[in-house]
């Protein structure tokens, strides 16, 4: 099960989602839905507090 880190939408099976490890700590997997990518919604890594648009 995977959900968008910003809007908590269920992301499994969605098109255009982005999945990557946190660029700061590499410990937490960041998942973003297509909509949040489109509007460049901010996310915060729950592991290290890193904030970023991508
Ligand atoms: Zn989202
Ligand atoms: Zn992090």
């Amino acid at each position: 099960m995977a959900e968008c880190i910003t809007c908590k939408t269920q992301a499994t099976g969605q098109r255009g989602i982005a999945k990557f490890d946190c660029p700061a700590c590499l410990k937490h997997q960041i998942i973003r839905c297509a909509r949040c990518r489109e509007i460049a919604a901010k996310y915060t890594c729950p592991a290290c507090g890193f904030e970023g648009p991508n």
Side-chain angles (χ1 to χ4, degrees):
M1 295 279 274
E3 60 183 27
C4 171
I5 193 165
T6 303
C7 68
K8 311 296 184 199
T9 286
Q10 182 54 246
T12 306
Q14 264 197 48
R15 286 169 150 234
I17 66 164
K19 243 193 223 185
F20 52 92
D21 293 329
C22 169
C25 68
L26 304 175
K27 284 177 188 163
H28 194 89
Q29 188 173 59
I30 309 289
I31 299 167
R32 306 187 74 204
C33 70
R35 190 175 143 270
C36 287
R37 287 177 62 203
E38 201 172 307
I39 64 175
K42 275 194 177 181
Y43 66 85
T44 305
C45 171
C48 71
F50 175 83
E51 251 187 39
N54 52 62

